[in-house]
Amino acid sequence: MKFLHQCPAPAKLNLFLHVTGRRDDGYHLLQTAFQLIDHCDLLDFDVRQDGQVLRTNDVPGVPADSDLIVRAARLLQQKTGTTLGADLTLHKTLPMGGGVGGGSSDAATTLMALNHLWQTGLSRAELMLLGLQLGADVPFFIFGENAFAEGVGEELQAISTPERWFVVIEPGVHVPTPAIFSSRELTRDSKPVRIADFSSNAENYWRNDLQTVACAMFPQVDEAIQWLSQFGNAKMTGSGACVFCAFADESAADKVITQMPGRWKSWKAKSLNQHPLVDLLQR
Ligand code: C5P
């Protein structure tokens, strides 16, 4: 029996997110910088000979059959024609509706791990295309390096970012991504910036265009941003709800955590340079 246990599916933060337009199919054109962090879900994979794909454990709020990891595995079966299946176990830590890419990262890790275990031999580029069918953020996690992204998030260029610690607050609400993107209040015409302008110390300039809309719909997000802003440039990630602030020193991040009001769940995470499974794939 072939298996991989405790495979990490790391979270991401959007260091900035600008909405620059909308495609005819309703999806939005973005510019964003994706930063991998070391706060992860964990997944176990056991190969089955009978071709079935099953999630073996209950995950509150994620029915097994609609789970993105099950859909990812079945998509890989369809694409490659493999007769193998798998038992999937998802140890969920990352918040849902949090903007940290948990579901997308779980799906990406599933595609990478099963492509390896099933020996289906898809290249990274092929897996990224497959991942795009599951969600706009999935290709980034398969790309596996911090990236400047355009298109709907699938046109990726690697960037280097400094080692940093992030304090992340979960404001206690689940933000529905489609509702944020479809809001009448959303600004969709941010002037495109050039990757050459991306610089690690331009934090005060980069903003998240989805933040105003999310804060208006969910005052809890606004409240968390206001509180965290006393320590630096606090911003929302993705379409929310999580809010973060970056620190050069781990001790500075620890200090913020110790002062955190009890009403919020919060955590500290360190920047990652690459997805831990990146070496399973040929470039
Ligand atoms: O691709 P994903 O499932 O993450 O997207 C969820 C929803 O967010 C989409 O159905 C769409 O309404 C919106 N979205 C968008 N433009 C993007 C990404 C997501 O409009 N670039």
Side-chain angles (χ1 to χ4, degrees), residues 22 26-30 104 132 134-137 151-153 177-179 181-182:
R22 183 153 51 166
Y27 262 79
H28 288 78
L29 296 170
L30 310 172
S104 302
L132 187 57
L134 298 163
D137 289 349
V152 299
T177 304
F181 274 108
S182 62

Side-chain angles (χ1 to χ4, degrees), residues 99-122:
V100 297
S104 302
S105 187
D106 296 341
T109 290
T110 301
L111 289 174
M112 290 192 274
L114 290 180
N115 186 51
H116 174 75
L117 287 173
W118 289 345
Q119 299 190 312
T120 38
L122 295 195

